[in-house]
Structure formats: structure tokens, C-alpha cells
Amino acid sequence: MIIGLTGGIASGKSTVSEMLIDLGAKVVDADAVAREIVLPGEPALEAIASLFGQALLQEDGSLNRSALGAIVFKDANALRDLEAITHPAIRKRMQERIHRYAEQDPKQLVVGDVPLLFETKQEHLYEGILVVYVPAKLQIERLMKRNGMTQEEAKRRVSLQLDIEEKRKRGNWIIDNSGSLDDTKKQVLQFWESQVRERP
Ligand code: ADP
């Protein structure tokens, strides 16, 4: 079974993803793939360098992320151009990997961990979506604590994403991560037992 895993920033996606890995799932992480597709030798890196200038490449051929960040941070058109290169490359690499896992063992749970899954309209790529939910207030608290952010900055980051209540509505399965880690683990186990282990 191929599912998407999503939620809001700091709602607990990585936490739940690790629990699923412990149970035997294969997880393909969109953030990790996003870093991978701009490594030296990758076509997306070449496309970025020809669009934004070879000066974005460091001596060893790797991408100068902060220089690129500085360009797209204040220029919405540049950001759109960058995403037109990176998003399809990320999606393609993820789908290749997901389907390779699924072919290796059709019974295994293969998970695409995609923070902006709904925002980027990727629901159709998965058999169902597992949403890791906490109320926005707790999301802000955990984000402040994890990233050492001010409340204002955490609120701003949260507000850039689709409302977590809306994500909860759109999910096929919900893990409520507002309690203890043990509580979350129980829900993950229940999901596993009802959706994965019981499958013919
Ligand atoms: P995401 O991957 O969605 O950004 P994380 O899994 O990194 O979220 O969780 C955000 C932060 O909250 C982390 O610092 C994590 O350790 C903490 N956290 C996650 N789940 C819980 C929980 N049930 N109770 C307390 N803290 C939690």
C-alpha cells in the first residue's frame, strides 16, 4: 500500500514517520529528496545554474544554498521559476523510489512523507493520506521549542501553510499527536494493524 504522510509544520510528521519505520514501513522523505536533486551532477542543479547564474555554484560544484535563498526570498517570480525546476524533479524522484519499494514487496507499507502534500495537490498520487494533527496552538508551541523561534515567527510560519483543521478534514486517517508520545504510538500501531497487517 502506498500512502502519503502529511500534517503541519511541527505537528509530528517526523515523529510518526520514525514510528512507522520501526514497524517496517519504507518512508520516502520529500525534504531529503529535495536536497538530493540539487547535488552536483543532477539535471536540476544544472538548470538552476543556467537560470540564476553559475556564480551560485561553489568551487566543489555544490549549490550555494544561502545565495539562492537570498535571490528567491525577495522575488516571487524567481521563486516560482525555481520551483518550476525543483518540484517536478522532486516528485519524479519520489515516485520512482516509492514504486520501486512497492514492486519489491507489494504488501509492504510505502510512505511518501510530504509536508506540503495538500498545498501542492498531490493527493492523487497516493491510495490514502495519513494526517498528523495537533491544534495550531500546540503546533506553534512545539515549533518555538524545537527551532528556538519567537512566538511571532512561529505563528508566521504556521500561517504560510494550509490550516491544520482543513488538513485534518482532508485526511483518510488521522493521528492526533497532541498527547504523549505513547499515546501517538498506540494510534500508529492501531493504524498499522487495521490497514497494513490485516490486508490480504
Ligand atoms: P514535523 O516533522 O511535523 O515538523 P516533529 O516530528 O519534528 O514535527 O515534531 C515537532 C517537535 O515536537 C519536535 O521537537 C518533537 O520532538 C516534538 N514532539 C513531537 N511529538 C510530540 C509529543 N507527542 N509530545 C511532545 N513533543 C512532541
Side-chain angles (χ1 to χ4, degrees), residues 8-15 142 146 177 179-181:
I9 183 171
S11 74
K13 295 177 298 295
S14 313
T15 303
R142 289 188 181 160
R146 185 187 68 188
N177 185 36
S180 67
L181 288 174

Side-chain angles (χ1 to χ4, degrees), residues 3-9 11-14 16 111-120 123 126 128-134 161-162 164 167-168 170-175:
I3 68 160
L5 172 73
T6 194
I9 183 171
S11 74
K13 295 177 298 295
S14 313
V16 168
V111 181
D113 177 350
V114 186
L116 298 179
L117 191 148
F118 292 121
E119 289 88 340
T120 54
E123 294 98 312
Y126 299 96
I129 312 295
L130 180 67
V131 169
V132 185
Y133 168 83
V134 296
Q161 304 187 338
L162 180 67
I164 190 119
K167 291 189 181 185
R168 175 160 73 163
R170 295 198 201 172
N172 300 82
W173 309 282
I174 314 298
I175 301 286

Side-chain angles (χ1 to χ4, degrees), residues 3 12 26 30 39 67 93 125 149 181 190 196:
I3 68 160
K26 289 281 187 284
L39 289 175
R93 184 70 51 87
L125 296 172
M149 269 179 199
L181 288 174
Q190 197 188 0
V196 188

Side-chain angles (χ1 to χ4, degrees), residues 38-194:
V38 291
L39 289 175
E42 291 280 356
L45 180 59
E46 282 163 30
I48 290 168
S50 42
L51 186 64
F52 294 102
Q54 301 294 325
L56 280 179
L57 299 181
Q58 308 185 100
E59 260 175 38
D60 63 358
S62 66
L63 178 63
N64 185 337
R65 290 175 157 275
S66 54
L68 180 61
I71 295 173
V72 299
F73 183 69
K74 44 182 192 285
D75 181 348
N77 287 331
L79 178 62
R80 203 194 48 215
D81 292 344
L82 173 65
E83 288 178 346
I85 297 170
T86 57
H87 283 183
I90 296 167
R91 202 175 291 204
K92 181 163 174 277
R93 184 70 51 87
M94 283 194 78
Q95 289 302 311
E96 284 167 3
R97 203 159 290 164
I98 285 170
H99 287 281
R100 196 170 341 118
Y101 281 134
E103 280 159 24
Q104 279 167 7
D105 177 2
K107 280 193 162 180
Q108 107 182 312
L109 179 67
V110 186
V111 181
D113 177 350
V114 186
L116 298 179
L117 191 148
F118 292 121
E119 289 88 340
T120 54
K121 302 186 173 33
Q122 297 191 49
E123 294 98 312
H124 66 283
L125 296 172
Y126 299 96
E127 288 170 58
I129 312 295
L130 180 67
V131 169
V132 185
Y133 168 83
V134 296
K137 196 168 160 277
L138 192 52
Q139 209 186 341
I140 291 162
E141 262 174 41
R142 289 188 181 160
L143 183 56
M144 287 169 66
K145 198 167 160 199
R146 185 187 68 188
N147 294 29
M149 269 179 199
T150 62
Q151 190 181 43
E152 197 177 52
E153 178 61 5
K155 275 187 177 164
R156 194 184 71 83
R157 294 294 178 97
V158 168
S159 74
L160 292 174
Q161 304 187 338
L162 180 67
D163 183 16
I164 190 119
E165 297 301 329
E166 181 60 30
K167 291 189 181 185
R168 175 160 73 163
K169 277 189 214 150
R170 295 198 201 172
N172 300 82
W173 309 282
I174 314 298
I175 301 286
D176 185 331
N177 185 36
S178 48
S180 67
L181 288 174
D182 251 12
D183 200 40
T184 297
K185 203 175 272 179
K186 276 186 200 134
Q187 295 172 63
V188 172
L189 197 57
Q190 197 188 0
F191 167 77
W192 180 268
E193 284 177 349
S194 62

